[in-house]
């Protein structure tokens, strides 16, 4: 009877439940056709029987059900435990008074069944209890704590098809997992429920059954010191390297990370460690239970507290580092990157999903200059937000890619540097280019620094030291946490403009200045780290510098193409180059290649560099220690080439000469033009004898710049441009540097094109008036200057070298350059300052007609010929006569100094009187003897040698061999005779007639008298009576000429008298 009653009860219950269930059952849904096969022996088509059938199956059998069918089963189960369905069912079977006494009315879905079950002990009706028990068996096993979840998430579960059944426990684990995986697409109300359940799971790893089952072995291996329920197992597992964790465990950990990124409260480690710190400020307000707080918001809030001086507990700091690292490790934890960079990830970074590689791949593409390959703005903003949220610039350990790439470098060069506060980051930046730096570390470092450089607040040392100055001078925000667009990329350049102000009210704090210098130095290695340049120069970088990828190459490329850049880019590059000129530490080439040389040669300048280091390196560029380091020397020359483009690119020159450049050189555009303009002004003032309007300091800088131009023709663009064809033609194999090209051009000056000759003349004119800028002379004669002319003024050092060139120990190399300079002066009177000064009046007096009728090369020859003619006549002023004596004496001792003789007597000098290094007057004596012996065949050579003999007759000092032989006789017999006009020769001749001369002097004088007579016959006829008179007077046969003149005059007189008498007698006879 009892069995029959039970059977009837089951039938009634089934009928009641069936009436309360949806009109269609599980097996009626096409998605669950397989359930119909599994449960094919049911007495009725009823959901409760179907659910009981499914629960009785082996869990592995249920695992194979399609997800669509699982969603259908979940919906039917959820419907069965809804408040209305349960209430209707119980009202039909259980006494209404009994249910009313339970007080289980609730508006929350699923709460009615929970209340009835909790009050089951108060129900004494066995039938009602049995009905309730069967309901519990077919309901979700976690129905007691999912009522709110079902209430808020039913719609999302339907939309996302996340209804799932857990074969082993018939609970919500799989459904929650699906929602967690789609958390970004879940509505806010449901999202809060998912986060709440995830928090419960975070308390105990076992609560998250999937995570627990996937990581049980990893927990045992690596984290067994943390028991389940301690809240530390998840953190411990996250700290393990990915390669150590099983794949399935990593997937579950990643799922948990995504949830934490959306609600920080899911991380129990962070909650426990930072609870007090969160409560200290407004972070407490952001953690109210009715609001979802993303992890990034809490990180920003706590970081803001730290930046503004609030101390964070060490435990909380450790948790912050770990969670910042978590965000940097997986891009999928940042919805902004998932959404904003989806296209870029698919196009450029597929296959870099783990370990932060995707993020660094995106960072690398952010630096692309090609517009077609650059990231979209939305992606760039997302990366900037991530870097700020993680405060990646504060601790290198936050970035897993950077940590892995740079760990060996840190252990090598930064092992004593404490982590945090960007100390290790700064150490790594200082060691870019060092021997221990690896390419992988440098790449990762530049990629993260690209974004740090765009936000002034992300460098903790800079922000802490310069926050007040940035707010005061550069309109920086006072709120570190601010995420709105700002002028952060421009704050560092702004601060730099105030770094060296003289006005005390505008000066920044010393600590800030120190940090600015550090940051500017570190970021100078790449344009990518200087947003104020990179952002305005993107097009120019893509156009001109697309293939420049090495350290510092992009900036040098922009500097090299300065004239071609767009205006905004050009101005930005100009500002940086000015700063680079002032502080060599901003020049990556110099800092990388010349560090040892700076320490060795420029140690004093390192203490306070205001353009001093570059000036020092340039001055030592040709020292052996620098020449041995070719990379350093090339780097110095790179800077010199760039500095040519604008005088402001040479700091000391700019500071001392800016006002004069603006005053006298308004049309000058490049530094070369400014230097030329100012130097010509100085030279013209010197030539005219006026006091220079250019200050002494500026003139010193001008000398330094001119000296650099002389050293390498590349540093003088004008000269290089106009002389380029001549260089190709006459100096094709001459190496650059050491003024070799300029020297080569001077040796072929007679063959140069007019424009090139004009520019070379300008260069030489400057050098002769200021020998200190004559690079070849100063460098090649450095030892001789130190030995013989140490105390002589460098501006006229050539005069001293001339005097000492024949001294014992005088360098042959230096003597050669001195001789060359003397030849230049003897070839062009405009390049002979001494001659110009002492013979200026004489040239105007005697040679004005010559100057007016001759031009170019003919002018110089005509002026020298005029002066020599006037010298022979003895009409020159005393100063000019002495100058001519000095010049002619030097030519007598070394024929190579007589350019005219070298040209017209070329054949004789190659055959009869060959030149030698040790001339000492022997060559000239040979030519004189050859003329006397009639061995000179070249007519013009005969004339010039004759002129040379007559010039020596005018002053014995011009005949050094005769003077040397007759020195004692001159001292004995002619010491009171004035110099010049042939007086000493006359004196010696009288003494010889009186038989007073020494045999050697008498013999030499006799020979000279024969030469004078012979020269008088060969020398060209006088141009006028005045010249004839002086020629006769100067001739040693003048007495003969006077006698012949008197005889001729007397004969004419006698003939005239006789003819007159005869004519008078004839006229008298005729008149008769």
């Amino acid at each position: 009877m009892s069995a029959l009653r039970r059977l009837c009860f089951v039938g009634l219950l089934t009928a009641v439940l069936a009436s309360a269930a949806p009109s269609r059952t599980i097996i009626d849904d096409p998605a669950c056709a397989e359930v119909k096969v599994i449960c094919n022996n049911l007495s009725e088509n009823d959901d409760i029987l179907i659910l009981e059938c499914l629960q009785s199956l082996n869990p592995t059998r249920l695992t194979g059900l399609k997800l669509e069918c699982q969603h259908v089963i979940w919906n039917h189960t959820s419907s069965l435990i809804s408040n209305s369905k349960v209430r209707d069912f119980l009202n039909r079977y259980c006494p209404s008074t009994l249910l009313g006494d339970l007080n289980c009315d609730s508006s929350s879905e699923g709460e009615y069944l929970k209340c009835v079950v909790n009050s089951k002990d108060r129900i004494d009706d066995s039938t009602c209890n049995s009905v309730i028990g069967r309901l519990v068996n077919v309901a979700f096993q976690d129905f007691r704590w999912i009522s709110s979840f079902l209430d808020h998430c039913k719609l999302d579960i339907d939309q996302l098809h996340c209804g799932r059944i857990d074969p082993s426990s018939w609970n919500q684990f799989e459904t929650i997992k699906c929602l967690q995986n789609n958390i970004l697409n879940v509505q806010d109300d449901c999202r809060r429920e998912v986060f709440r359940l995830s928090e419960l799971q975070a308390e105990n790893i076992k609560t998250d059954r999937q995570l627990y089952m996937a990581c049980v072995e990893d927990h045992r291996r690596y984290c067994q010191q943390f028991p389940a329920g301690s809240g530390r197992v998840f953190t411990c597992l996250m700290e393990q390297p990915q390669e150590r964790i099983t794949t399935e465990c990593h997937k579950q950990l990643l799922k948990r990370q995504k949830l934490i990124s959306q609600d920080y409260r899911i991380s129990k480690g962070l909650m426990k460690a930072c609870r007090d710190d969160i409560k200290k400020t407004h972070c407490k307000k952001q953690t109210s239970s009715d609001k979802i707080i993303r992890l990034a918001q809490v990180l920003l809030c706590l970081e803001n507290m730290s930046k503004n001086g609030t101390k964070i507990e060490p435990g909380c700091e450790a948790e912050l580092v770990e969670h910042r690292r978590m965000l940097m490790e997986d891009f999928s934890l940042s919805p902004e990157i998932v959404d904003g960079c989806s296209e870029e990830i698919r196009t450029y970074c597929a296959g870099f999903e783990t370990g932060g590689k995707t993020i660094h791949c995106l960072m690398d593409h952010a630096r692309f200059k090609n517009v077609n390959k650059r990231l979209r703005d939305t992606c760039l903003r997302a990366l900037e937000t991530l870097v700020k949220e993680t405060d990646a610039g504060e601790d290198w350990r936050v970035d897993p890619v950077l940590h892995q790439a740079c760990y060996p470098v840190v252990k090598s060069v930064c092992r004593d540097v404490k982590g945090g506060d960007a100390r290790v980051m700064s150490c790594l930046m200082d060691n870019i280019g060092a021997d221990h730096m690896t390419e992988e570390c440098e790449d990762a470092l530049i990629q993260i620094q690209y974004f740090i450089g765009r936000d002034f607040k992300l460098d903790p040392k800079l922000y802490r030291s310069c926050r007040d100055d940035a707010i005061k001078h550069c309109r920086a925000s006072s709120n570190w946490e601010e995420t709105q667009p700002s002028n952060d990329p421009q704050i560092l350049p702004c601060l730099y403009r105030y770094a060296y102000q003289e006005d005390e009210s505008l000066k920044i704090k010393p600590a800030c200045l120190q940090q600015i210098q550090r940051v500017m130095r570190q970021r100078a290695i790449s344009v990518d780290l200087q947003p104020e340049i990179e952002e305005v120069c993107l097009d120019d970088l893509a156009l001109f510098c697309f293939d420049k990828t090495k350290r510092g190459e992009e900036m040098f490329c922009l500097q090299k193409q300065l004239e071609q850049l767009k205006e905004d880019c050009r101005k930005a590059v100009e500002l940086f180059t000015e700063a680079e000129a002032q502080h060599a530490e901003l020049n990556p080439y110099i800092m990388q290649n010349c560090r040892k040389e700076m320490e060795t040669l420029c140690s004093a300048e390192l203490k306070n560099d205001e353009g001093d280091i570059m000036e020092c390196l340039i001055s030592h560029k040709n020292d052996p220690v620098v020449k041995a380091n070719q990379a350093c020397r090339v780097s110095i020359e790179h800077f010199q080439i760039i500095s040519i483009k604008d005088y402001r690119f040479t700091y000391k020159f700019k500071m001392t000469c800016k006002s004069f450049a603006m005053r006298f050189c308004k049309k000058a555009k490049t530094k070369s033009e400014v230097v030329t303009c100012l130097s010509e002004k100085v030279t013209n003032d010197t030539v005219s004898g006026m006091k220079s309007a250019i200050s002494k300091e500026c003139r010193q800088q001008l000398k330094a710049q001119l000296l650099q131009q002389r050293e390498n023709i590349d540093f003088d663009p004008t000269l290089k441009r106009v002389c380029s064809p001549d260089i190709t033609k006459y100096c094709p194999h001459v190496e650059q540097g050491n003024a070799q090209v300029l020297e080569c051009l001077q040796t072929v000056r007679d063959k140069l094109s007019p424009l090139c000759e004009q520019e070379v003349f300008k260069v030489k004119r400057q050098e002769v008036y200021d020998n200190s800028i004559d690079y070849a002379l100063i460098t090649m004669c450095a030892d001789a200057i130190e030995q013989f002319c140490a105390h002589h003024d460098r501006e006229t050092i050539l005069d001293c070298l001339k005097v000492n060139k024949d001294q014992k120990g005088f360098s042959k190399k230096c003597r050669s350059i001195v001789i060359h300079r003397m030849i230049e002066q003897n070839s062009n009177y405009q390049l002979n300052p001494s001659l110009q000064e002492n013979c200026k009046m004489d040239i105007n007096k005697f040679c004005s007609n010559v100057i007016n009728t001759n031009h170019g090369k003919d002018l110089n020859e005509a002026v020298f010929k005029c002066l020599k003619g006037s010298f022979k006549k003895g009409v020159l002023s005393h100063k000019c006569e002495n100058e001519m004596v000095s010049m002619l004496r030097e030519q007598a001792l070394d024929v190579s100094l007589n350019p005219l003789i070298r040209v017209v007597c070329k054949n004789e000098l190659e055959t009869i009187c060959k030149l030698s290094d040790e001339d000492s007057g022997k060559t000239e004596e040979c030519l004189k003897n050859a003329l006397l012996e009639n061995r000179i065949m070249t007519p013009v050579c005969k004339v010039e040698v004759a002129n040379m003999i007559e010039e020596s007759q005018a002053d014995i000092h011009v005949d050094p061999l005769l003077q040397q032989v007759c020195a004692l006789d001159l001292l004995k017999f002619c010491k009171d005779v004035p110099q010049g006009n042939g007086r000493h020769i006359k004196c010696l001749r009288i003494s010889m007639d009186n038989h007073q001369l020494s045999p050697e002097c008498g013999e030499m004088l006799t020979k000279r008298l024969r030469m004078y007579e012979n020269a008088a016959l060969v020398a060209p006829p006088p141009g006028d009576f005045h010249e004839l008179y002086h020629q006769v007077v100067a001739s040693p046969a003048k007495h003969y000429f006077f006698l012949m003149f008197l005889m001729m005059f007397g004969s004419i007189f006698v003939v005239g008298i006789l003819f007159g008498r005869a004519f008078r007698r004839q006229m008298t006879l005729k008149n008769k």
Side-chain angles (χ1 to χ4, degrees):
M1 187 67 182
S2 61
L4 179 61
R5 184 180 296 175
R6 183 180 297 276
L7 181 61
C8 292
F9 168 73
V10 171
L12 178 62
L13 176 62
T14 303
V16 173
L17 289 174
S19 64
S23 58
R24 295 179 62 188
T25 63
I26 294 173
I27 61 176
D28 290 333
D29 195 299
C32 287
E34 53 189 325
V35 175
K36 189 174 183 179
V37 176
I38 296 172
C39 300
N40 57 3
N41 58 350
L42 298 177
S43 58
E44 295 182 44
N45 183 11
D46 174 66
D47 273 345
I48 195 167
L49 291 176
I50 295 171
L51 291 172
E52 287 179 336
C53 169
L54 292 173
Q55 289 185 5
S56 66
L57 295 174
N58 189 312
T60 58
R61 186 80 178 272
L62 291 178
T63 305
L65 291 178
K66 296 179 180 178
L67 295 180
E68 294 84 352
C69 182
Q70 290 189 35
H71 183 67
V72 171
I73 295 172
W74 186 92
N75 271 332
H76 281 259
T77 304
S78 176
S79 178
L80 281 174
I81 64 173
S82 64
N83 289 349
S84 59
K85 296 294 172 51
V86 174
R87 187 181 291 110
D88 288 346
F89 160 64
L90 292 180
N91 282 336
R92 293 178 183 182
Y93 190 77
C94 296
S96 59
T97 55
L98 180 63
L99 294 175
D101 293 340
L102 298 179
N103 296 320
C104 287
D105 292 334
S106 175
S107 59
S108 299
E109 196 62 57
E111 287 294 317
Y112 189 78
L113 177 60
K114 176 181 176 181
C115 178
V116 170
V117 172
N118 289 340
S119 304
K120 188 178 178 182
D121 293 341
R122 296 164 55 190
I123 300 175
D124 53 6
D125 188 301
S126 59
T127 303
C128 188
N129 275 327
S130 297
V131 171
I132 294 171
R134 194 165 181 208
L135 273 174
V136 171
N137 288 336
V138 297
F140 296 125
Q141 292 186 12
D142 49 8
F143 73 90
R144 289 180 176 82
W145 47 274
I146 64 170
S147 58
S148 179
F149 168 72
L150 293 176
D151 188 27
H152 292 100
C153 292
K154 183 68 170 64
L155 183 61
D156 292 286
I157 292 172
D158 284 340
Q159 289 180 345
L160 297 171
H161 295 280
C162 280
R164 301 285 187 272
I165 59 172
D166 190 327
S168 60
S169 57
W170 210 261
N171 58 29
Q172 302 305 304
F173 285 134
E174 292 294 334
T175 301
I176 294 173
K177 174 185 174 183
C178 177
L179 291 174
Q180 289 173 338
N181 290 337
N182 293 277
I183 195 66
L184 298 178
N185 299 318
V186 175
Q187 300 297 320
D188 288 345
D189 290 341
C190 179
R191 189 181 301 176
R192 279 193 290 270
E193 290 299 322
V194 174
F195 289 153
R196 183 179 63 83
L197 296 177
S198 299
E199 285 185 61
L200 295 174
Q201 292 175 337
E203 292 285 359
N204 190 332
I205 191 173
K206 289 184 177 180
T207 311
D208 188 341
R209 194 173 62 83
Q210 286 185 323
L211 176 61
Y212 176 72
M213 295 303 296
C215 297
V216 63
E217 186 62 26
D218 300 284
H219 178 201
R220 185 186 64 79
R221 287 183 180 179
Y222 309 121
C223 305
Q224 61 181 350
Q225 70 272 28
F226 301 115
S230 64
R232 290 290 299 157
V233 178
F234 173 75
T235 303
C236 174
L237 290 172
M238 284 301 304
E239 291 174 350
Q240 305 306 314
Q242 182 180 334
E243 57 271 14
R244 297 177 66 182
I245 300 295
T246 60
T247 303
E248 191 60 33
C249 179
H250 177 70
K251 289 181 180 179
Q252 295 302 318
L253 290 173
L254 181 58
K255 182 191 73 173
R256 175 65 52 175
Q257 286 179 319
K258 290 182 180 179
L259 295 172
I260 292 174
S261 71
Q262 296 303 307
D263 190 341
Y264 80 97
R265 291 172 296 187
I266 296 175
S267 175
K268 292 305 174 181
L270 180 64
M271 283 289 290
K272 289 179 181 179
C274 297
R275 182 179 290 109
D276 293 338
D277 295 297
I278 291 174
K279 290 180 180 179
K280 287 180 182 179
T281 62
H282 65 280
C283 297
K284 180 179 179 181
K285 299 177 183 178
Q286 295 186 18
T287 58
S288 57
S289 60
D290 63 344
K291 189 175 181 183
I292 298 173
I293 308 300
R294 286 185 54 193
L295 174 64
Q297 292 175 279
V298 173
L299 291 178
L300 283 173
C301 179
L302 292 174
E303 288 161 5
N304 187 43
M305 291 170 54
S306 176
K307 304 300 181 187
N308 291 326
T310 303
K311 183 173 177 59
I312 302 295
E313 294 297 326
C316 182
E317 284 187 350
E319 283 293 333
L320 289 177
V321 170
E322 194 59 40
H323 283 75
R324 284 153 53 193
R325 178 184 175 87
M326 183 181 76
L327 291 178
M328 284 293 294
E329 193 166 25
D330 197 318
F331 76 93
S332 64
L333 303 183
S334 301
E336 296 85 358
I337 293 182
V338 173
D339 294 337
C341 300
S342 57
E343 183 178 330
E344 286 82 354
I345 292 172
R346 183 173 60 256
T347 306
Y348 306 125
C349 305
F352 295 102
E353 289 79 7
T354 60
K357 294 179 181 177
T358 301
I359 293 173
H360 269 268
C361 172
L362 292 172
M363 287 179 171
D364 191 41
H365 277 79
R367 300 162 53 211
F368 273 42
K369 306 304 181 291
N370 190 326
V371 178
N372 297 325
K373 294 184 179 181
R374 279 183 66 84
L375 304 184
R376 294 171 297 166
D377 286 343
T378 53
C379 186
L380 280 173
R381 300 293 85 79
L383 287 170
E384 289 172 358
T385 301
L386 175 64
V387 173
K388 182 164 187 178
E389 289 172 349
T390 58
D391 198 9
E394 193 272 341
D395 196 321
W396 74 295
R397 296 168 295 185
V398 167
D399 186 345
V401 171
L402 181 68
H403 185 268
Q404 181 179 0
C406 295
Y407 184 79
V409 181
V410 173
K411 285 296 181 184
S412 177
V413 297
C414 307
R415 57 181 177 272
D416 298 326
V417 179
K418 187 179 179 181
D421 200 29
R423 285 182 285 266
V424 175
M425 279 281 203
S426 183
C427 174
L428 289 172
M429 288 296 293
D430 284 335
N431 281 279
I432 284 183
D435 295 338
H436 293 87
M437 178 59 67
T438 63
E439 185 176 351
E440 294 79 9
C441 178
E442 183 174 326
D443 288 344
L445 190 60
I446 296 298
Q447 287 162 7
I448 194 70
Q449 286 290 334
Y450 177 84
F451 290 91
I452 294 173
R454 277 152 180 75
D455 193 337
F456 155 74
K457 298 187 287 291
L458 294 184
D459 188 308
K461 288 185 176 180
L462 179 66
Y463 179 75
R464 184 169 59 249
S465 300
C466 297
R467 177 176 178 270
D468 294 339
D469 289 308
I471 294 172
K472 177 181 178 182
H473 300 298
C474 306
R475 293 184 292 180
S477 171
S478 59
N479 183 12
W480 184 92
E481 190 179 358
E482 181 182 355
T483 57
Q484 297 299 319
S486 66
N487 64 334
D488 279 343
Q490 299 301 323
I491 289 178
L492 182 61
C494 170
L495 288 172
Y496 184 81
R497 288 195 291 272
Y498 286 92
Y500 302 97
Q501 291 285 343
E502 295 182 1
D503 189 341
E504 290 293 331
S505 63
L506 297 177
K507 280 188 176 181
I508 60 177
K509 293 181 293 186
C512 179
L513 175 59
Q514 183 179 1
Q515 290 304 316
I516 289 172
Q517 291 172 337
R518 172 187 66 82
V519 173
M520 291 287 287
R521 179 187 72 247
Q522 293 173 347
R523 296 181 185 175
I525 62 170
S526 174
V527 170
D528 293 339
L529 305 186
Q530 302 172 73
E532 69 278 7
I533 297 176
E534 194 245 13
E535 290 175 3
V536 296
C537 293
L538 274 178
D539 294 339
D540 293 302
L541 285 167
L543 180 62
F544 301 115
C545 313
F546 59 90
D547 58 341
K548 308 301 181 185
T549 57
K550 294 182 180 179
R551 190 182 312 111
E553 282 189 341
E554 285 183 327
M555 177 55 72
F556 180 69
C557 171
L558 290 175
Q559 292 170 330
K560 193 174 181 181
Q561 301 290 339
L562 188 66
E563 299 84 355
Q564 312 299 324
L565 303 180
K566 293 181 179 178
E567 185 177 0
D568 289 344
C569 178
R570 178 173 52 78
K571 289 181 179 178
V573 174
E574 284 176 349
L575 287 173
F576 175 80
T577 309
E578 283 190 62
E580 188 180 57
Q582 183 178 0
H583 301 292
E585 63 184 1
L586 301 184
N587 189 320
Y589 285 110
I590 294 296
M591 294 307 294
Q592 178 181 349
N593 299 319
C594 300
R595 196 180 298 270
K596 293 180 180 178
E597 287 72 18
M598 286 191 294
E599 294 173 355
T600 305
L601 303 172
C602 311
S603 56
E605 289 79 1
L606 285 171
K607 299 175 183 177
N608 184 27
D609 182 21
E610 293 290 333
D612 304 279
I613 291 179
M614 285 312 307
E615 192 175 71
C616 171
L617 288 173
I618 291 171
S619 66
H620 290 285
K621 185 178 67 173
N622 292 306
D623 286 9
V625 65
V626 180
K627 280 188 173 181
N629 183 356
Q630 189 63 22
C632 176
R633 196 168 189 272
V634 169
S635 300
I636 297 171
E637 291 189 343
H638 274 186
F639 173 81
Q640 289 181 278
I641 291 172
I642 294 304
S643 67
I644 292 171
K645 297 179 180 292
D646 196 309
Y647 75 91
R648 295 172 298 172
F649 297 167
T650 305
Y651 179 72
K652 287 199 168 184
F653 181 69
K654 176 186 75 173
M655 297 303 292
T656 57
C657 296
K658 183 177 181 179
S659 60
F660 302 106
M662 296 177 69
R663 178 181 173 187
F664 299 113
C665 311
K666 295 179 180 179
K667 295 182 179 180
K669 296 179 179 180
T670 66
K671 185 180 83 171
S672 176
E673 292 175 352
V674 172
V675 169
T676 300
C677 168
L678 292 179
S679 60
E680 286 182 355
K681 172 68 176 170
V682 172
T683 302
N684 291 335
D685 289 345
T686 303
V687 172
S688 61
M690 296 172 56
K691 182 179 180 181
S692 178
I694 310 297
S695 69
K696 181 179 179 181
E697 293 76 13
C698 181
R699 293 201 303 273
Q700 290 297 324
Q701 284 301 315
L702 270 175
K703 290 180 181 181
Q705 299 308 313
L706 288 169
L707 190 65
Q708 292 179 37
Q709 288 185 354
R710 303 301 182 259
E711 189 264 341
N712 192 326
I713 199 169
D714 286 339
F715 303 154
D716 191 339
T718 303
L719 180 63
K720 182 178 181 180
R721 184 181 69 253
V722 299
C723 291
S724 183
D726 300 271
I727 293 172
T728 303
K729 186 175 181 180
Y730 302 116
C731 312
H733 305 299
V734 177
E735 294 183 2
Q736 299 283 1
N738 292 324
Q740 293 186 66
V741 174
L742 183 59
E743 290 297 306
C744 172
L745 291 174
Q746 292 171 30
T747 59
V748 292
R749 60 188 178 277
D750 295 334
K751 302 177 183 179
L752 298 178
S753 61
L755 286 177
C756 181
E757 183 184 16
Q758 183 179 354
E759 287 301 318
V760 172
F761 171 75
K762 289 180 181 178
V763 170
K764 298 313 299 178
R765 187 166 180 260
Q766 291 171 348
E767 290 181 351
V768 296
Y769 281 99
D770 186 351
N771 303 154
S772 65
I773 63 173
D774 187 338
Y775 186 89
L777 181 71
I778 295 297
T779 55
M780 295 179 72
C781 293
D783 294 338
I785 292 173
E786 184 177 353
Q787 182 177 358
F788 299 102
C789 309
H791 304 293
H792 199 279
D793 188 354
R794 289 295 187 273
E795 292 185 1
T796 56
I797 199 70
L798 180 60
D799 293 338
C800 175
L801 294 173
K802 285 180 184 178
V803 173
N804 292 280
K805 72 180 189 306
D806 296 316
Q807 294 290 330
K808 185 177 181 180
F810 197 91
S811 164
K812 289 185 178 180
K813 180 175 62 175
C814 179
R815 188 178 188 280
S816 174
I817 197 76
V818 170
I819 294 295
H820 185 67
R821 294 295 179 266
M822 293 174 70
I823 292 173
E824 291 173 352
Q825 293 184 353
N826 293 341
S827 302
N828 191 330
Y829 79 98
Q830 297 174 82
L831 297 181
N832 194 324
S834 181
L835 183 70
Q836 290 257 35
E837 180 182 356
N838 295 317
C839 295
K840 183 177 182 180
M841 294 178 61
D842 299 271
I843 292 174
N844 293 332
K845 181 178 180 181
F846 302 113
C847 308
S848 58
N849 186 54
V850 170
I851 294 175
N852 293 331
T853 56
N854 290 275
H855 302 282
K857 299 175 183 177
D858 295 335
L859 174 61
N860 291 309
E861 182 178 338
V863 169
F864 278 118
K865 186 176 181 180
C866 170
L867 288 174
K868 288 180 179 179
S870 300
F871 173 74
K872 289 192 293 182
K873 297 173 186 177
V875 296
L876 295 178
S877 64
H878 181 67
K879 289 197 303 181
C880 186
E881 183 176 345
N882 289 339
E883 182 66 32
M884 291 300 297
V885 168
S886 175
M887 183 182 72
L888 294 173
R889 179 180 176 83
E890 290 289 347
Q891 292 180 356
L893 290 171
D894 190 343
V895 169
S896 63
L897 298 179
N898 191 329
L900 185 58
I901 288 292
R902 292 195 64 173
V903 172
V904 299
C905 297
K906 181 180 179 181
N907 183 59
E908 283 70 19
L909 291 174
E910 290 176 353
T911 56
I912 303 173
C913 306
K914 294 183 179 180
L915 292 171
S916 65
D917 293 336
E918 299 295 333
D919 192 336
S920 301
K922 296 177 182 178
T923 305
E924 183 181 273
E925 189 69 15
C926 174
L927 289 172
K928 290 177 180 179
N929 290 328
L931 178 66
L932 185 63
E933 297 166 5
N934 201 28
R935 289 189 294 149
I936 298 179
M937 298 293 105
T938 309
V940 288
C941 180
K942 287 182 178 181
V943 173
E944 287 306 319
V945 174
N947 286 333
M948 188 168 59
I949 294 173
E950 290 185 339
E951 291 160 5
S952 65
Q953 183 183 354
D955 195 315
I956 196 171
H957 292 87
V958 180
D959 191 342
L961 294 184
L962 177 62
Q963 183 191 22
Q964 182 180 359
V965 172
C966 297
L968 293 177
D969 299 275
L970 286 169
L971 186 62
K972 184 176 181 180
F973 304 112
C974 309
K975 62 179 179 179
D976 298 324
V977 177
Q979 180 181 342
N981 205 21
R983 297 184 185 92
H984 283 148
I985 299 294
K986 295 175 186 177
C987 175
L988 289 176
R989 186 172 181 178
I990 293 172
S991 298
M992 182 179 68
D993 291 341
N994 295 329
H995 306 288
Q996 294 175 323
L997 295 183
S998 63
E1000 296 82 3
C1001 180
E1003 182 181 352
M1004 178 68 79
L1005 181 61
T1006 301
K1007 188 175 182 180
R1008 285 293 184 267
L1009 293 174
R1010 288 168 50 206
M1011 288 182 179
Y1012 299 155
E1013 292 176 0
N1014 186 54
L1017 299 175
V1018 177
D1024 53 28
F1025 182 78
H1026 185 73
E1027 187 173 341
L1028 174 62
Y1029 171 75
H1030 284 287
Q1031 186 171 333
V1032 171
V1033 170
S1035 173
K1038 61 183 178 180
H1039 298 294
Y1040 170 77
F1041 289 132
F1042 280 130
L1043 178 61
M1044 293 300 295
F1045 176 76
L1046 289 174
M1047 290 178 64
M1048 182 178 65
F1049 181 77
S1051 299
I1052 293 172
F1053 181 75
V1054 171
V1055 171
I1057 291 175
L1058 293 176
F1059 180 78
R1061 287 180 177 179
F1063 181 76
R1064 187 186 305 165
R1065 185 179 299 114
Q1066 184 178 0
M1067 290 299 294
T1068 302
L1069 293 174
K1070 186 176 182 179
N1071 290 331
K1072 287 180 178 182

